[in-house]
Amino acid sequence: MPPARYLLYVKTMVKPLLSTFCACTEWAEAAIKAGADHLILEDSKCSIRSYSHDFNTPDFKNVSKMAEKARAINPEILLSFNIDILAHQYHIETIQQLLITLKESNIQTIRLQDPGLVFLVRTIIPDAVFHLSTETGNLNRQSILFHTAQFQRQCLSNELPIKELRDISSSINTELEIQVHGPILIQYSKRRFMSHYLNNKDTQSSVCIRKKAVDHEFKNRTFQFYDNPHGHFMFLHVDRCLIRHVPELVELDLTSLLIDARGESIQYLTQTLMSYRNERNDYMSNPESYQLKNQVSLDEISPRPLKAGFFKINNTDKDWRNLHPTRSIPHEIIGTVIDVVKNNWLTIELNTDLKIGENYTLLSPERKQRNVQLDCLLDAWGKPIQKGKEHQLVKIKWVKGIVPQSIIF
Amino acid sequence: MKKTLEHRNIPELLAPAGNSEKLRIALAYGADAVYLAGKQFGLRKSAENFSNIDIEKAVKYANLKGKKVYVVLNGFLHASDMAQLPQFLDVLESIQPHGLIISDFGVMSLAKSRTTIPLHVSTQASVTNEFTAQYWKEAGASRIIVARELSIPECEHIKKQSGIEVEVFIHGAMCASYSGKCVISNYTAGRDSNRGGCIQSCRHTFDVVDTDTENIDYSTHIMNAKDLNTISLIPKLIEAGIDSLKIEGRMKSNMYLANTVTQYRNVLDNHVSPQEGDAALQQVSNRSFTPAFFENTQNNQTINTDFNGYNKSVSFIGTVKAIKDKKIMLVNVKSDFSITDTLELQSPKGRIQKFVPTSIQNMNEEFIHHTKGHKLVQIPFVDAASTLSIIRKNHG
């Protein structure tokens, strides 16, 4: 045994799985051959964005076929099923039928967006294992910890930057996943906006619509709109791409990297999987000499620009918190100016007591500050008083620069 | 219908309080409870909101009146927000509001461990079934504010199956998407829609473009949700056993608040028919109304695509701030008016009264013929007026 000083700490890198969605046997085969370790199976009836559009098939036999095909190619392939529906009462029976098929096909790992469905799933698959993907929310350590009681894995929101991902990964002992590539969902509605607009089409019609959309307030951005019986989905004008960040992704110790190729070509699916597989394997086999090789091929097959999004940093709540002028005042607000008669009076509505003889500060919405010693105080009707009380209207001498909505503290 | 209303528990009428004055208006006009937010953790960042001292005063005031105050903590919080939350929860525990409204499981966990305050689940959590209601119940919730996409039978089913209190929105603006499932503002404007920064992109005009031809198929307000109005469904909501009826609008005007609370109060108490109440609601600024999905889970009439401005027939003129000897009223003016204008006064206890001011004085006792907004003026007293009466102008 060499002396301790000769022992080097070698961090064991955990190889993250490559996970992807598929809704047909052709995709299952292509995904596995391209390097997917985990297939998240889908069926339009219970998977809200599957694009397989098999709303009219009465059963889930396709799911069984996909599982059979996948296991024939790779018996070790991990399989789960995506029930990402926000379930209404009228969905329950369909979900139950699906669960019976999943049980028969020995698919026991269920991915949910609606966390309470664990109770429904367990009525049919008591030993089910759950993955959670809420799409939004679930952004802090305490929330993620809460869900570990029921969920083995959690797919974290695209709004989390790497700093927060690092903190979460290092402090919670649970399986974590993030989307590393593909369209970024920014809105999910039950309303079928496009179907409704087009001559009030029946909202239960199985016809699906894909369009682009330009917001008149942001004319240089072309969003994606997708409408199906589950509702409306809006996607960002760029796709998420973290191919440049594979070393950081590996260092995060995530269990799974999710590639979302739904709605795209099979070439998109396979090229993306191969690219991430190659970059992951290259980095893990030799981190010191690792160099990115697959960016260009992804740029070529992507129909939209590729961006890292909020992965590097998220400042969405930084600069505008102090919208209201009272937000940053550390003192109790004594009142608000509600009327100004120039060169004469300020009328103030009081939140609390105001006393003659004391020193106060007046602050306008434009941040003009005036300090006053109160030597004159009248009630709203002009009668001199020593003290004003909560909810009372009082008058003090006019102060230059102070306008309505100014505060006194 | 009257017999049904008389023999059922009347649900709580819950109104928004964007500031202290609105809290007093809401309670004066008939709300049983109000909801408000502190300076952080809510979803209306540009509202005035309440300091800790203001929250304490609000709760004391409500307790004196036998009413309730719920504090909103319904943002989806990041780590940096969570760091500041424990201190605020400790303050709230000392104040003891009657409930906290939460949508984040992390916030729920922390609130449960640090307070004894009843915990309500916000509509932001988009609870649509009894299983998720149960999930929240096991997390500590005693009430669910269900998703606005549910029908009345669905709400009733959730209540019966989960044994938890159910609250529903009954009036006001709606999100186009499932609440909490929209981050458009995050990416387009750099403002987090789930922490109070929503810029309401869903209200914009969109060009919808064919993916093959690149031609514009149509340009419209394709996602502009109508406002919710369920006054005609109040009997059914009571019959369904709904525990609380919630009005949206912490940033809306005193007039909207007073009028909306009054109409729903009157219908709940069987003083007016739903039709009369609806007629009064139609007068105040709205984006066209819909009962949403309460009676039809596949309702496709919830969007106002041809939005050309708000519908309204009354304008908000001002709020009565003080009365002297039943002779003079002090009015905090929001919109211009003149001494010859025919105005209306809506008071907490009475009906609408028409009047002509005949004189206007500023706070320097000078007589004027016309006043602009953001002024305090004195006008002659109107019978049945009281502090917090609303002055409005009817253009109909």
Side-chain angles (χ1 to χ4, degrees):
Chain A
M1 183 75 168
R5 65 179 182 275
Y6 293 112
L7 288 173
L8 297 173
Y9 173 72
V10 176
K11 185 180 178 204
T12 307
M13 282 192 285
V14 176
K15 184 164 92 173
L17 304 170
L18 291 180
S19 303
T20 196
F21 299 97
C22 75
C24 65
T25 51
E26 186 191 5
W27 271 50
E29 182 173 356
I32 294 170
K33 288 179 177 174
D37 306 298
H38 169 209
L39 295 186
I40 307 166
L41 307 181
E42 292 198 317
D43 180 291
S44 287
K45 294 184 283 296
C46 292
S47 312
I48 57 179
R49 291 194 271 145
S50 86
Y51 291 92
S52 58
H53 301 167
D54 44 4
F55 295 100
N56 293 328
T57 53
D59 53 45
F60 295 97
K61 288 179 184 167
N62 186 46
V63 177
S64 304
K65 285 181 190 168
M66 279 193 284
E68 211 174 290
K69 180 74 173 182
R71 287 171 177 143
I73 300 168
N74 178 1
E76 304 299 314
I77 190 77
L78 296 171
L79 296 177
S80 64
F81 192 92
N82 190 22
I83 306 176
D84 59 349
I85 218 167
L86 286 182
H88 289 245
Q89 194 55 35
Y90 51 83
H91 292 128
I92 301 301
E93 194 177 324
T94 305
I95 295 173
Q96 288 169 327
Q97 288 167 3
L98 166 67
L99 291 170
I100 292 169
T101 301
L102 294 178
K103 186 174 182 178
E104 289 167 355
S105 304
N106 198 25
I107 298 170
Q108 304 238 338
T109 303
I110 310 295
R111 186 181 180 93
L112 299 173
Q113 177 172 189
D114 190 355
L117 293 183
V118 295
F119 300 132
L120 173 62
V121 173
R122 286 221 170 91
T123 61
I124 294 174
I125 309 176
D127 298 329
V129 168
F130 295 101
H131 295 175
L132 180 65
S133 177
T134 58
E135 305 268 26
T136 59
N138 200 27
L139 297 157
N140 58 73
R141 190 176 167 278
Q142 289 85 343
S143 177
I144 295 162
L145 255 178
F146 176 84
H147 290 302
T148 57
Q150 299 284 1
F151 292 89
Q152 183 185 67
R153 183 181 304 175
Q154 297 180 47
C155 181
L156 300 180
S157 163
N158 287 337
E159 281 75 57
L160 280 172
I162 187 169
K163 181 181 180 304
E164 293 184 49
L165 287 168
R166 216 174 259 139
D167 291 343
I168 290 164
S169 176
S170 63
S171 64
I172 304 179
N173 185 19
T174 191
E175 293 185 10
L176 296 173
E177 175 185 275
I178 64 170
Q179 179 187 348
V180 297
H181 202 94
I184 300 173
L185 181 72
I186 57 176
Q187 185 206 45
Y188 168 28
S189 174
K190 175 180 158 59
R191 297 168 174 82
R192 300 186 66 176
F193 302 126
M194 293 190 286
S195 295
H196 296 174
Y197 186 75
L198 295 174
N199 302 315
N200 291 321
K201 277 212 169 100
D202 181 356
T203 56
Q204 293 181 295
S205 163
S206 58
V207 172
C208 303
I209 305 172
R210 289 186 77 176
K211 297 284 183 184
K212 298 180 190 178
V214 178
D215 181 341
H216 280 205
E217 305 294 323
F218 298 102
K219 286 224 165 186
N220 59 343
R221 298 177 188 178
T222 304
F223 301 104
Q224 309 296 312
F225 274 9
Y226 173 51
D227 173 307
N228 71 24
H230 293 295
H232 175 94
F233 305 89
M234 179 176 177
F235 300 90
L236 198 58
H237 61 292
V238 302
D239 281 6
R240 181 150 157 119
C241 174
L242 299 184
I243 197 77
R244 290 181 175 278
H245 302 279
V246 166
E248 291 149 290
L249 291 171
V250 173
E251 299 292 338
L252 278 172
D253 279 341
L254 300 171
T255 302
S256 165
L257 308 179
L258 178 64
I259 289 160
D260 188 353
R262 289 176 292 184
E264 305 303 330
S265 65
I266 204 164
Q267 185 200 10
Y268 182 108
L269 169 73
T270 54
Q271 185 63 57
T272 312
L273 277 166
M274 284 191 295
S275 299
Y276 279 88
R277 180 196 64 190
N278 293 342
E279 295 297 333
R280 177 199 63 186
N281 293 348
D282 283 353
Y283 177 72
M284 293 197 72
S285 61
N286 203 340
E288 272 98 41
S289 64
Y290 167 75
Q291 277 189 326
L292 174 66
K293 296 184 184 68
N294 284 276
Q295 174 77 60
V296 171
S297 61
L298 290 179
D299 289 334
E300 284 169 355
I301 53 137
S302 180
R304 290 166 294 277
L306 299 175
K307 298 282 182 188
F310 288 123
F311 180 73
K312 290 182 340 186
I313 193 162
N314 183 335
N315 283 331
T316 53
D317 204 32
K318 288 283 187 238
D319 298 326
W320 63 276
R321 275 183 185 268
N322 295 332
L323 261 181
H324 198 276
T326 60
R327 174 70 178 84
S328 57
I329 305 300
H331 311 286
E332 185 183 7
I333 307 296
I334 291 175
T336 306
V337 175
I338 61 170
D339 184 77
V340 175
V341 180
K342 194 176 176 184
N343 298 319
N344 286 281
W345 303 108
L346 301 179
T347 305
I348 297 170
E349 182 172 22
L350 295 178
N351 289 342
T352 188
D353 295 355
L354 183 74
K355 293 175 194 167
I356 201 162
E358 305 219 349
N359 295 316
Y360 297 98
T361 301
L362 287 154
L363 181 69
S364 77
E366 297 84 23
R367 303 282 176 181
K368 284 182 191 164
Q369 188 166 309
R370 303 282 184 264
N371 298 320
V372 295
Q373 188 183 39
L374 211 57
D375 58 6
C376 173
L377 185 65
L378 309 178
D379 72 8
W381 315 108
K383 182 182 161 190
I385 54 176
Q386 293 295 308
K387 185 170 93 171
K389 295 180 183 177
E390 187 183 6
H391 301 316
Q392 190 175 1
L393 297 181
V394 297
K395 289 161 75 166
I396 67 172
K397 284 184 189 165
W398 177 76
V399 177
K400 188 176 178 181
I402 299 301
V403 298
Q405 299 306 305
S406 298
I407 54 175
I408 183 167
F409 58 91
Chain B
M1 186 177 76
K2 281 189 181 180
K3 194 171 179 180
T4 299
L5 288 174
E6 282 163 7
H7 288 84
R8 291 284 178 177
N9 290 329
I10 301 298
E12 170 187 271
L13 182 60
L14 174 58
N19 58 36
S20 296
E21 181 180 56
K22 286 175 182 162
L23 180 146
R24 288 185 292 130
I25 288 172
L27 297 183
Y29 281 78
D32 301 304
V34 293
Y35 60 100
L36 55 85
K39 298 292 186 182
Q40 283 183 277
F41 310 117
L43 291 182
R44 297 289 184 271
K45 281 281 167 57
S46 50
E48 190 177 333
N49 292 320
F50 287 69
S51 67
N52 295 349
I53 295 170
D54 289 339
I55 296 174
E56 187 174 6
K57 287 182 186 175
V59 172
K60 280 183 181 164
Y61 180 80
N63 282 336
L64 280 173
K65 300 221 171 259
K67 311 258 182 159
K68 294 182 178 178
V69 171
Y70 306 128
V71 177
V72 174
L73 296 167
N74 63 349
F76 286 150
L77 303 191
H78 287 243
S80 55
D81 308 309
M82 292 297 283
Q84 302 167 60
L85 185 58
Q87 190 181 5
F88 186 52
L89 287 171
D90 291 343
V91 168
L92 291 175
E93 175 66 1
S94 69
I95 293 172
Q96 285 291 302
H98 304 85
L100 302 180
I101 302 174
I102 291 167
S103 53
D104 182 302
F105 279 98
V107 175
M108 178 68 79
S109 300
L110 213 51
K112 187 180 173 189
S113 66
R114 290 186 93 96
T115 77
T116 56
I117 304 166
L119 305 175
H120 301 177
V121 178
S122 168
T123 196
Q124 209 44 20
S126 277
V127 176
T128 56
N129 58 74
E130 72 263 35
F131 303 103
T132 307
Q134 184 66 30
Y135 195 83
W136 277 103
K137 188 178 176 186
E138 292 188 7
S142 59
R143 180 185 290 189
I144 304 281
I145 306 156
V146 294
R148 278 176 267 210
E149 287 78 8
L150 294 186
S151 65
I152 294 175
E154 284 182 301
C155 298
E156 189 176 12
H157 181 83
I158 289 173
K159 182 174 165 68
K160 282 186 179 152
Q161 294 300 313
S162 63
I164 198 168
E165 285 185 358
V166 167
E167 178 178 304
V168 301
F169 271 96
I170 55 169
H171 199 90
M174 293 195 290
C175 287
S177 43
Y178 276 110
S179 292
K181 299 295 181 184
C182 177
V183 290
I184 300 175
S185 290
N186 301 41
Y187 288 91
T188 57
R191 284 170 44 159
D192 192 335
S193 48
N194 291 314
R195 284 189 288 178
C198 180
I199 64 165
Q200 300 198 52
S201 295
C202 54
R203 308 266 178 217
H204 296 173
T205 303
F206 283 83
D207 293 333
V208 178
V209 177
D210 188 274
T211 50
D212 296 322
T213 65
E214 300 288 330
N215 292 332
I216 297 174
D217 287 347
Y218 47 91
S219 295
T220 189
H221 296 272
I222 195 163
M223 296 192 271
N224 181 40
K226 293 178 181 175
D227 290 344
L228 182 63
N229 175 347
T230 65
I231 202 161
S232 62
L233 299 177
I234 292 299
K236 289 184 181 178
L237 289 166
I238 295 173
E239 188 70 34
I242 303 301
D243 298 284
S244 178
L245 307 178
K246 186 171 189 174
I247 296 167
E248 180 275 339
R250 275 186 286 143
M251 292 185 63
K252 294 211 164 78
S253 71
N254 291 356
M255 180 181 72
Y256 163 91
L257 180 60
N259 188 58
T260 310
V261 172
T262 294
Q263 303 317 321
Y264 280 96
R265 179 80 270 154
N266 283 343
V267 169
L268 281 167
D269 294 344
N270 225 3
H271 293 152
V272 303
S273 69
Q275 290 75 20
E276 283 178 85
D278 184 59
L281 291 174
Q282 297 281 350
Q283 291 181 308
V284 175
S285 183
N286 63 81
R287 300 180 182 96
S288 298
F289 285 123
T290 175
F293 301 97
F294 276 124
E295 293 211 287
N296 175 8
T297 56
Q298 304 301 325
N299 186 1
N300 61 6
Q301 301 294 321
T302 65
I303 301 295
N304 184 353
T305 54
D306 298 323
F307 183 66
N308 284 319
Y310 293 85
N311 304 324
K312 65 177 183 182
S313 59
V314 294
S315 298
F316 178 36
I317 297 297
T319 308
V320 176
K321 289 295 209 178
I323 293 172
K324 185 179 181 185
D325 301 330
K326 290 198 175 183
K327 290 181 181 169
I328 299 285
M329 305 192 295
L330 281 185
V331 178
N332 189 12
V333 181
K334 286 296 178 198
S335 304
D336 302 12
F337 72 95
S338 305
I339 57 169
T340 55
D341 283 337
T342 301
L343 303 176
E344 293 180 344
L345 179 133
Q346 182 171 32
S347 64
K349 298 299 178 191
R351 292 186 176 274
I352 308 289
Q353 285 176 255
K354 286 192 190 313
F355 71 99
V356 177
T358 67
S359 74
I360 306 172
Q361 285 178 272
N362 66 16
M363 292 306 287
N364 209 31
E365 311 297 327
E366 294 158 342
F367 284 92
I368 53 180
H369 280 83
H370 177 88
T371 180
K372 291 184 180 177
H374 302 295
K375 298 295 294 178
L376 195 63
V377 297
Q378 304 176 59
I379 63 174
F381 178 75
V382 176
D383 275 346
S386 61
T387 308
L388 302 179
S389 287
I390 301 296
I391 309 290
R392 30 191 260 181
K393 188 171 179 181
N394 196 322
H395 306 283

